[in-house]
Amino acid sequence: MAGRRKFYSATEVIEYICLPDGALSDTESIPDDNIADPDFEESPEAYESDSSFDDDKPLAAIPKANLNHLDVEIHNIHADSDTEVPDDNEPQPGPAPVNKEFSWRQRKPPAADIDSSFRGPAFSPPPDEIPSPKWYFDQFMDKSVFEHISNQSNLYAVMKNAPELKTTPSEIEQFIGLHILMTVVRMPSYRMYWQTATRYDPIATVMGRKRFDKLRTYIHMNDNTNVKQKGEPGYDPLFKVRPVLEKVRANCVTGLVYDFEVYTGKGTVTNERGLGVAGEVVLRLVSEVPKGLNYKCFFDNWFTSPELIVELKKMGILTVATINRNRLRGCTLKSDKELSKAGRGAYEVKYEKTSGMSIVKWYDNKAVLLASSFIGPEPVERCRRWSKEKKEYVEVDRPHIVKVYNHNMGGVDLADMFAALYRIDIRPRRWYLRILYYLIDLSLVNAWLLYRRHLTQKQEKKYMPLLDFRVQVADALIKVGKQADLISRKRGRPSLEDDPTSHQAAPPPPPLQRISAPSVDVRLDRCDHFPIHAEKRGRCRLCKNGYTQMACLKCKVLLCFTKDKNCFLEYHMRK
């Protein structure tokens, strides 16, 4: 939703990235009103709102991502020390540099009539068979990432003169998988997953708390011996997280989160082309977008200036954006009072003679300014808007540019919303771990959106919810290729029960704790799927007709194994 923009300090931004509304950290909580969007307005039914850019659509009606539409937004994160965030000098957009050569008219000039049809390639076709959630996650954060983190963490522990860490890529996968699982079953402090009163076995039995703490202490992503100090040539404020950040960036694909940049303080963006800081941000983020193919770029008024729109059009990237009235570059339009007298839905349009750029002022509940390099107000349609005075929906005129902006703007906001639903909210003191957690959440959301795109391409309507998707990814990271828990993790001092010379009878095997089937990745990983004797006889997971008391130690499901059929083998071999 477009609207006024509130500026946050760097600390508030990092808290917003790392902590969802109402979540509790290990040491403190953040009031909801400190991180909530001050301009957010609910539906009319809830608050009787009549926001100018509320399309009155439920979440399910949000349009699917389109290849030739690209949202641009910036996330500000500081990165100058291991333990704290320095004071921030927030870039203020202000008026972009003035170009006095703009000439405005009411009549549509020939330069405004352009072919805006997309000329680029279509989406790649989906796989013949929809892969597992873990496969989609691997497209953004693959094994090479975990191998790199493992090697750098071992090196970092040696540099700190600590006992050997001896971690492996598999253990780092489990470590990340536990963090994802903690977003599904939340506790105020991560240590509570191991405490007696609040113990949660799916986490506590995978890794001991001391080992988890040790990995958190020494996890690292780059060699500190190569770091450049501030002021030295080649200094990189994101050095500590750069390899993983660039890997995830390189794996971002069209239609999802395409690119991002971490704000590292003053100097992150320089005004090289005279378009102001905000304009430079847009140009940097679209630098990897193919030129001359009529990709569509949507952004809000913090970034917009007529000079930027013209520059993007020269690159073959078309735009629609809201714009501040102090950046109209001499384009005179009717006042808010004049439009309000004309009634709700009134508008005025002006065109720039040379570039064909249009600026439309539309009055709904208040005046809204939009600019575009390829569309204007026509065709004008009727739309339903909520009337606060009449307490009902009314029909008003809506210019086409408003419809297009509402339809396509908000992709970044939507991705952020999905990430915030189950955000990793453990708050470490080291800033680069917060960025790592953000990259994990980003990879999960992108993976789920790619999965949904493939289902849409195959015209399949039923899809796995994001929550279930995250659970399956976490389950695969924790178990695929890992040894089964042959003996449940025990805590405390050894007892007589652990004495091999004890003559006490062995306790019966534990009942199967798992009712649902394991993820496909776990079932087919061919690692430690041993048959065990279950406590109770039950129906076979595969054939459904047979009854058996044999179960898989790792999958925790009952499977037949008789002279006539071997469901145990077939279950672990067939997709």
Side-chain angles (χ1 to χ4, degrees):
M1 180 182 294
R4 299 187 307 275
R5 179 173 294 272
K6 177 178 178 180
F7 293 98
Y8 294 88
S9 68
T11 302
E12 289 175 320
V13 172
I14 291 181
E15 287 175 342
Y16 177 77
I17 288 177
C18 298
L19 199 65
D21 291 359
L24 298 176
S25 70
D26 294 338
T27 58
E28 62 182 323
S29 63
I30 303 175
D32 289 349
D33 55 1
N34 285 351
I35 56 178
D37 181 359
D39 296 321
F40 178 80
E41 297 183 55
E42 275 287 358
S43 62
E45 291 81 355
Y47 293 100
E48 300 182 349
S49 167
D50 55 353
S51 170
S52 294
F53 277 100
D54 185 355
D55 260 355
D56 308 318
K57 296 180 182 178
L59 179 60
I62 294 176
K64 300 179 179 64
N66 197 329
L67 176 64
N68 59 340
H69 292 149
L70 175 68
D71 288 338
V72 176
E73 192 158 316
I74 187 170
H75 297 273
N76 292 339
I77 305 175
H78 259 297
D80 282 342
S81 70
D82 277 6
T83 58
E84 61 183 16
V85 178
D87 292 336
D88 186 25
N89 294 320
E90 284 289 347
Q92 302 296 327
V98 177
N99 185 337
K100 297 183 179 179
E101 297 179 358
F102 288 116
S103 176
W104 305 94
R105 57 170 62 180
Q106 288 186 333
R107 182 179 299 177
K108 190 175 182 180
D113 292 321
I114 64 171
D115 180 10
S116 62
S117 59
F118 180 62
R119 303 168 189 163
F123 283 138
S124 57
D128 294 335
E129 185 175 342
I130 296 297
S132 68
K134 175 62 164 51
W135 181 89
Y136 284 102
F137 181 74
D138 287 343
Q139 306 312 300
F140 301 93
M141 189 169 281
D142 55 25
K143 286 187 177 295
S144 66
V145 173
F146 302 110
E147 290 172 357
H148 179 83
I149 295 176
S150 172
N151 294 334
Q152 292 300 322
S153 299
N154 288 327
L155 177 62
Y156 183 66
V158 172
M159 293 174 62
K160 289 293 184 179
N161 296 320
E164 283 188 281
L165 188 61
K166 294 183 178 179
T167 188
T168 63
S170 293
E171 188 178 42
I172 296 298
E173 283 186 340
Q174 288 185 315
F175 179 74
I176 298 301
L178 292 178
H179 277 82
I180 298 172
L181 197 55
M182 289 175 183
T183 68
V184 178
V185 181
R186 295 187 181 275
M187 292 191 183
S189 169
Y190 76 88
R191 293 180 177 86
M192 296 179 70
Y193 293 102
W194 287 271
Q195 292 175 1
T196 302
T198 55
R199 181 179 173 85
Y200 184 62
D201 281 346
I203 289 176
T205 58
V206 173
M207 184 181 295
R209 185 184 64 80
K210 290 184 178 179
R211 182 60 179 176
F212 186 86
D213 282 340
K214 191 172 184 179
L215 288 176
R216 286 192 73 214
T217 300
Y218 294 108
I219 191 167
H220 226 64
M221 287 161 278
N222 215 342
D223 185 356
N224 278 3
T225 59
N226 297 325
V227 67
K228 301 289 186 182
Q229 298 302 317
K230 196 168 185 178
E232 295 181 357
Y235 167 71
D236 181 7
L238 294 175
F239 172 83
K240 292 180 180 293
V241 75
R242 180 65 68 185
V244 175
L245 187 148
E246 291 302 324
K247 181 69 174 178
V248 175
R249 279 191 64 212
N251 290 339
C252 286
V253 293
T254 306
L256 313 178
V257 173
Y258 188 88
D259 201 356
F260 59 91
E261 183 170 7
V262 179
Y263 179 70
T264 58
K266 188 176 181 180
T268 303
V269 180
T270 57
N271 189 15
E272 298 176 358
R273 284 162 281 200
L275 295 174
V277 172
E280 291 293 335
V281 168
V282 175
L283 294 181
R284 286 170 66 126
L285 288 176
V286 302
S287 61
E288 300 298 324
V289 177
K291 308 303 185 292
L293 300 179
N294 285 349
Y295 278 89
K296 311 298 189 303
C297 186
F298 298 83
F299 42 88
D300 65 26
N301 56 9
W302 194 86
F303 302 96
T304 314
S305 69
E307 291 82 4
L308 175 61
I309 293 175
V310 171
E311 184 67 23
L312 289 172
K313 188 174 182 180
K314 292 177 181 178
M315 299 163 58
I317 297 176
L318 306 179
T319 58
V320 179
T322 53
I323 185 170
N324 287 329
R325 64 185 63 197
N326 66 339
R327 299 183 183 177
L328 295 182
R329 303 298 183 262
C331 178
T332 57
L333 297 165
K334 292 180 181 179
S335 67
D336 295 1
K337 188 175 181 180
E338 290 178 295
L339 287 178
S340 65
K341 286 182 179 180
R344 194 171 180 181
Y347 72 91
E348 185 182 14
V349 60
K350 290 287 182 68
Y351 295 93
E352 205 283 312
K353 178 180 178 181
T354 304
S355 65
M357 172 178 28
S358 66
I359 292 184
V360 176
K361 187 173 185 178
W362 178 57
Y363 192 87
D364 187 8
N365 306 313
K366 56 185 179 180
V368 179
L369 285 164
L370 299 103
S372 175
S373 58
F374 72 101
I375 57 172
E378 295 85 12
V380 177
E381 300 176 348
R382 302 283 287 176
C383 68
R384 296 173 70 242
R385 314 296 294 175
W386 179 257
S387 173
K388 192 173 183 179
E389 294 77 17
K390 296 181 179 180
K391 307 296 183 185
E392 63 182 9
Y393 286 101
V394 296
E395 295 283 332
V396 300
D397 288 338
R398 178 178 62 183
H400 186 58
I401 187 174
V402 177
K403 178 182 178 181
V404 172
Y405 181 86
N406 284 339
H407 182 79
N408 296 288
M409 183 59 178
V412 175
D413 294 334
L414 190 61
D416 284 345
M417 185 271 290
F418 285 135
L421 291 175
Y422 313 104
R423 195 185 301 279
I424 297 175
D425 59 358
I426 296 178
R427 297 175 60 194
R429 286 179 57 81
R430 288 172 291 164
W431 60 264
Y432 51 87
L433 291 189
R434 302 184 189 188
I435 297 180
L436 174 62
Y437 295 158
Y438 173 77
L439 294 176
I440 294 169
D441 287 327
L442 174 66
S443 298
L444 285 165
V445 170
N446 262 7
W448 182 67
L449 293 174
L450 181 60
Y451 154 76
R452 287 192 60 180
R453 178 200 291 174
H454 285 167
L455 289 178
T456 301
Q457 289 176 306
K458 295 174 75 69
Q459 298 183 342
E460 296 182 19
K461 296 183 179 179
K462 189 175 181 180
Y463 63 87
M464 185 186 305
L466 177 59
L467 179 62
D468 295 343
F469 189 92
R470 291 178 72 105
V471 170
Q472 289 214 17
V473 171
D475 189 60
L477 288 171
I478 291 170
K479 296 181 179 178
V480 169
K482 283 77 173 179
Q483 293 182 347
D485 190 13
L486 301 179
I487 301 176
S488 297
R489 184 182 300 277
K490 296 182 179 180
R491 299 175 298 152
R493 297 178 180 177
S495 65
L496 291 175
E497 295 178 358
D498 299 320
D499 186 356
T501 62
S502 174
H503 297 288
Q504 296 180 358
L512 294 179
Q513 299 292 328
R514 187 170 194 156
I515 299 176
S516 60
S519 65
V520 175
D521 299 283
V522 174
R523 179 164 61 88
L524 302 178
D525 71 347
R526 302 190 183 187
C527 179
D528 278 9
H529 293 279
F530 297 114
I532 59 172
H533 193 267
E535 183 179 6
K536 293 182 180 180
R537 182 180 176 86
R539 191 184 298 273
C540 175
R541 168 67 65 176
L542 184 63
C543 69
K544 307 298 183 182
N545 297 322
Y547 284 82
T548 181
Q549 205 162 351
M550 177 176 289
C552 174
L553 172 68
K554 190 171 185 177
C555 297
K556 302 290 192 296
V557 294
L558 294 167
L559 296 163
C560 294
F561 183 23
T562 66
K563 180 180 179 181
D564 299 325
K565 58 181 177 179
N566 190 343
C567 292
F568 190 94
L569 177 63
E570 189 175 356
Y571 184 77
H572 295 106
M573 298 288 290
R574 190 184 68 183
K575 281 192 175 180

